[in-house]
Amino acid sequence: MQTRLTIKDIARLSGVGKSTVSRVLNNESGVSARTRERVEAVMQQHEFSPSRSARAMRGQSDKVVAIIVTRLDSLSENLAVQTMLPSLYEQGYDPIMMESQFSPDMVEEHLGMLRRRNIDGVILFGFTGIDEKILQPWRSTLVLMARDASGFASVCYDDEGAIQILMSTLYQQGHRDISFLGVPHGDVTTGYRRHQAYLAFCRDHDIVPNAALPGLAMKQGYDHVVEVLTPKTTALLCATDTLALGASKYLQQQNLSEIKLASVGNTPLMKFLHPEIITVDPGYAEAGRAAALQLIGQISQGQQLRQIVVPSHLQ
Amino acid sequence: MQTRLTIKDIARLSGVGKSTVSRVLNNESGVSARTRERVEAVMQQHEFSPSRSARAMRGQSDKVVAIIVTRLDSLSENLAVQTMLPSLYEQGYDPIMMESQFSPDMVEEHLGMLRRRNIDGVILFGFTGIDEKILQPWRSTLVLMARDASGFASVCYDDEGAIQILMSTLYQQGHRDISFLGVPHGDVTTGYRRHQAYLAFCRDHDIVPNAALPGLAMKQGYDHVVEVLTPKTTALLCATDTLALGASKYLQQQNLSEIKLASVGNTPLMKFLHPEIITVDPGYAEAGRAAALQLIGQISQGQQLRQIVVPSHLQ
DNA sequence: CTGTTAGCGCATTCAA
DNA sequence: TTGAATGCGCTAACAG
């Protein structure tokens, strides 16, 4: 590994002082166009790139952020992360990934490590049980995903909208006995809000609600569909595609495939395995991008902590 | 963000010199037990942690490695990464994640960025089309996953073993007409080796081979099963669980579910959706851990470039 | 507009 | 066994 060039070398090679090089590097004003060009030429020619650690030490951030997902194999989170990464790279940020496995303790542990490392910011995929107190120190450098909390920046999906779209679609197709499979209310967004939206639609359209809230896992969908099925049921709305996958398996096994399925979450896997299921894309891609930009805005320009809601789209 | 403590502060607080603190920090010899204890006590008490950037600037390594996966939503790679991350954290390394999307160009682009950042090492999930030339500069700080190349450290799955186990199992169950669904030979491991192992088993057991090698995608499995089905076929072996998922859907739709499926790759999704499929775990978890340890060994102690093969396990 | 100077937090000489 | 001094690559304050 041959020793890399430093601004000192660039300065010598282009016949200027170190600080001038530094100014060019940081796009600061106060450098004549001619000088700037010359220095830039030399830098290009030698493929110069400044030492991150040295910059970091000088107080600048070292441009590292963390993304804490609940699980690496979460289909929906993956879709958001997939757009997050390029957005972060583009701005020169290195994203390090961590897995919380839905454990508040792991989150706390990870955040501790991140603080010791002097990381710039965190994008955290929220879940039930996280104590907001431990997030407090990160208030200004944190973006919460899929969950909102007062005093924190966040990017949420439009839970109500998604459910409404799906319910309307089913309703328009003639369904009047629509059951619901969701998540307990401890989960405010995926659980409470989606369930409430379902109930609201039922109320407005004279539908008798019939819901169960087993949880997030595929198996829970599979095990608990039966509870919401009546002889009259013609459609089933699932709060997540994972639940729908589980439910679908059950319905198939029981030869109940005339029951129309709908779900929030439009993952490639779903699209392939069950294209017949009506899905809404909660805007994962857009959410990922929004979160990245929000975080960068906060840490680099002290941008205000917005609570963003991305719109859903019927597929 | 209150200004963090430095070794200078620790030195003052414990009444020693900066360099002594530095020595304690790095577990260097030449410090009396008493002094060491005292300094360590002060550090603990103040939760001192040294500035990464400053260390990086003095030494060389800033303890950052990159993991380049083909796709964030690859089920198998996820399982390996899941054990990689903790192993890396444990050793104080920050893993940054990148996605190649099976594009050699993206790999090159990513590696370029990583070199500019002065990253310590890379774990790269291999795929067809990567030019070894661009990997050359990383020879000593790279671990290749799921692919081997002379002159590079690597962690591979036991392709032959996995296929053998599955074929034996099917054979013992009485199957004599076993077809194969795989991946083109351009992919040396998942493609060539697994196919060859299938052919070898057939040869040794008087089975008439019947194979198609459409590719890695679920849809390709779905579309091409039909080509390997004969009226006599009783079992189908798939090179990956993704293919099996596709094939399974087809068989189900065609009411051919009496055909026994087997596949390499034991992901949670498979286990839930199709527990009836015989699977082999190629040792993803172990592979992830092995790769992390190998990489760290290389970059921190110049460990030799081993080519590791992890064993498969019948589920 | 530009060069010189002085640190940032740490590891590493070199003396003591 | 220890502390003081030096410099890593860079930015910021201050002179010119």
Side-chain angles (χ1 to χ4, degrees):
Chain A
M1 173 145 51
Q2 77 245 319
T3 106
R4 295 170 29 123
L5 298 148
T6 74
I7 52 169
K8 197 165 134 193
D9 300 315
I10 301 297
R12 189 172 32 75
L13 288 166
S14 43
V16 301
K18 287 196 311 179
S19 31
T20 303
V21 177
S22 176
R23 285 185 187 106
V24 173
L25 218 48
N26 300 324
N27 275 315
E28 283 175 27
S29 60
V31 181
S32 75
R34 268 190 32 254
T35 311
R36 184 180 296 274
E37 273 176 34
R38 193 148 39 92
V39 174
E40 273 169 350
V42 175
M43 296 199 306
Q44 301 247 328
Q45 189 185 334
H46 294 272
E47 289 186 326
F48 169 76
S49 74
S51 147
R52 307 186 111 241
S53 13
R55 309 189 92 170
M57 216 178 56
R58 274 313 307 178
Q60 312 290 309
S61 83
D62 55 352
K63 295 210 158 201
V64 176
V65 299
I67 300 173
I68 306 182
V69 298
T70 59
R71 307 207 29 165
L72 286 174
D73 55 4
S74 158
L75 300 173
S76 56
E77 293 183 8
N78 264 329
L79 289 174
V81 173
Q82 235 154 8
T83 61
M84 238 172 240
L85 295 184
S87 308
L88 292 170
Y89 295 139
E90 228 167 67
Q91 306 289 325
Y93 283 85
D94 279 350
I96 84 177
M97 292 264 286
M98 320 188 93
E99 212 183 11
S100 69
Q101 293 172 148
F102 292 107
S103 151
D105 288 346
M106 290 212 74
V107 172
E108 191 164 1
E109 194 177 309
H110 283 153
L111 288 178
M113 148 175 296
L114 294 175
R115 198 171 44 67
R116 266 171 264 128
R117 302 263 164 107
N118 226 14
I119 236 92
D120 293 309
V122 177
I123 296 177
L124 173 62
F125 284 83
F127 56 91
T128 306
I130 297 183
D131 185 357
E132 285 183 23
K133 275 199 230 52
I134 69 171
L135 302 183
Q136 212 53 45
W138 295 88
R139 215 180 43 263
S140 61
T141 53
L142 176 84
V143 173
L144 219 44
M145 289 292 292
R147 192 129 327 190
D148 49 9
S150 69
F152 291 95
S154 60
V155 177
C156 279
Y157 305 115
D158 181 11
D159 298 292
E160 287 85 359
I163 297 296
Q164 252 166 38
I165 291 174
L166 290 171
M167 288 296 283
S168 303
T169 306
L170 289 170
Y171 194 86
Q172 278 168 27
Q173 291 184 357
H175 296 282
R176 292 299 179 272
D177 289 273
I178 309 173
S179 298
F180 181 84
L181 207 52
V183 176
H185 285 187
D187 182 325
V188 180
T189 57
T190 313
Y192 178 76
R193 288 188 193 156
R194 295 189 188 175
H195 184 210
Q196 290 302 316
Y198 164 75
L199 294 177
F201 190 96
C202 289
R203 201 168 41 245
D204 294 350
H205 295 78
D206 272 325
I207 292 177
V208 180
N210 188 356
L213 309 176
L216 282 165
M218 223 174 272
K219 182 155 184 3
Q220 293 174 310
Y222 179 85
D223 289 341
H224 294 265
V225 207
V226 63
E227 301 168 12
V228 295
L229 294 183
T230 72
K232 297 175 62 186
T233 306
T234 62
L236 172 65
L237 172 55
C238 297
T240 77
D241 50 358
T242 306
L243 278 174
L245 236 35
S248 164
K249 178 173 174 179
Y250 179 87
L251 295 179
Q252 203 166 296
Q253 282 181 342
Q254 306 292 318
N255 271 315
L256 291 168
S257 42
E258 72 281 2
I259 292 185
K260 190 72 187 165
L261 268 174
S263 88
V264 181
N266 168 57
T267 55
L269 184 72
M270 273 292 272
K271 218 179 298 189
F272 174 77
L273 285 180
H274 297 291
E276 78 280 5
I277 297 181
I278 301 171
T279 63
V280 149
D281 176 1
Y284 294 124
E286 193 179 336
R289 201 171 6 254
L293 295 181
Q294 169 67 28
L295 182 64
I296 293 173
Q298 285 177 219
I299 63 194
S300 68
Q301 305 155 31
Q303 193 180 92
Q304 63 169 322
L305 310 181
R306 286 182 302 160
Q307 312 211 146
I308 301 168
V309 176
V310 297
S312 303
H313 302 286
L314 185 63
Q315 289 306 291
Chain B
M1 176 145 48
Q2 77 245 325
T3 110
R4 294 168 36 120
L5 296 155
T6 75
I7 52 169
K8 197 166 136 192
D9 300 315
I10 302 297
R12 187 172 35 75
L13 288 167
S14 42
V16 300
K18 287 197 308 179
S19 24
T20 302
V21 177
S22 177
R23 287 187 185 105
V24 172
L25 217 47
N26 301 329
N27 273 316
E28 282 175 29
S29 59
V31 181
S32 75
R34 268 188 35 252
T35 312
R36 184 181 296 274
E37 272 177 33
R38 193 149 40 96
V39 174
E40 272 170 350
V42 175
M43 295 200 305
Q44 301 248 329
Q45 188 186 336
H46 294 272
E47 290 186 327
F48 170 76
S49 75
S51 147
R52 304 194 106 231
S53 14
R55 309 189 89 168
M57 214 174 63
R58 283 305 292 130
Q60 295 292 350
S61 149
D62 53 353
K63 293 208 149 203
V64 176
V65 299
I67 299 173
I68 307 183
V69 297
T70 59
R71 305 204 32 159
L72 286 175
D73 55 5
S74 159
L75 300 174
S76 56
E77 293 183 7
N78 263 330
L79 289 175
V81 173
Q82 234 153 8
T83 61
M84 239 173 241
L85 296 185
S87 308
L88 292 170
Y89 294 139
E90 229 166 65
Q91 306 291 327
Y93 282 85
D94 279 351
I96 84 177
M97 292 266 284
M98 320 188 94
E99 211 182 13
S100 69
Q101 293 173 146
F102 293 105
S103 152
D105 287 347
M106 290 211 73
V107 172
E108 190 164 1
E109 196 177 307
H110 283 151
L111 288 178
M113 148 175 294
L114 294 175
R115 199 171 44 65
R116 265 172 265 128
R117 302 262 163 106
N118 224 17
I119 236 94
D120 293 309
V122 177
I123 296 178
L124 173 63
F125 283 83
F127 57 90
T128 306
I130 297 184
D131 185 357
E132 286 184 20
K133 275 200 231 48
I134 68 170
L135 302 184
Q136 212 54 45
W138 295 88
R139 215 180 41 264
S140 61
T141 52
L142 176 84
V143 173
L144 219 44
M145 288 293 293
R147 190 128 329 190
D148 48 10
S150 69
F152 290 95
S154 60
V155 177
C156 279
Y157 305 115
D158 180 12
D159 298 292
E160 287 86 1
I163 297 295
Q164 253 166 37
I165 292 174
L166 291 171
M167 287 297 282
S168 303
T169 306
L170 289 170
Y171 195 85
Q172 278 168 26
Q173 292 184 355
H175 296 282
R176 292 299 180 270
D177 289 274
I178 309 173
S179 298
F180 181 83
L181 208 52
V183 177
H185 286 186
D187 182 324
V188 180
T189 57
T190 313
Y192 178 74
R193 289 187 192 158
R194 294 188 189 177
H195 184 210
Q196 289 303 316
Y198 165 73
L199 293 177
F201 191 95
C202 288
R203 202 167 42 245
D204 295 349
H205 295 77
D206 273 326
I207 293 176
V208 181
N210 187 356
L213 309 176
L216 282 163
M218 224 174 271
K219 185 159 183 355
Q220 293 174 309
Y222 179 85
D223 289 341
H224 294 265
V225 208
V226 63
E227 300 168 14
V228 295
L229 295 183
T230 72
K232 297 174 63 186
T233 306
T234 61
L236 173 65
L237 174 54
C238 297
T240 76
D241 51 358
T242 307
L243 278 173
L245 236 34
S248 162
K249 179 174 175 180
Y250 180 86
L251 295 179
Q252 202 166 298
Q253 283 181 342
Q254 305 293 318
N255 271 314
L256 291 168
S257 42
E258 73 282 2
I259 293 185
K260 189 70 187 169
L261 268 174
S263 88
V264 181
N266 169 58
T267 54
L269 184 71
M270 274 291 274
K271 217 178 299 190
F272 174 76
L273 286 180
H274 296 291
E276 77 283 5
I277 297 182
I278 302 172
T279 62
V280 148
D281 177 0
Y284 294 124
E286 193 180 336
R289 199 171 8 251
L293 295 181
Q294 170 65 29
L295 182 64
I296 292 174
Q298 285 176 220
I299 62 192
S300 68
Q301 305 154 30
Q303 193 179 94
Q304 62 169 324
L305 311 182
R306 287 180 302 160
Q307 311 209 146
I308 301 167
V309 177
V310 297
S312 301
H313 302 287
L314 184 65
Q315 289 307 292

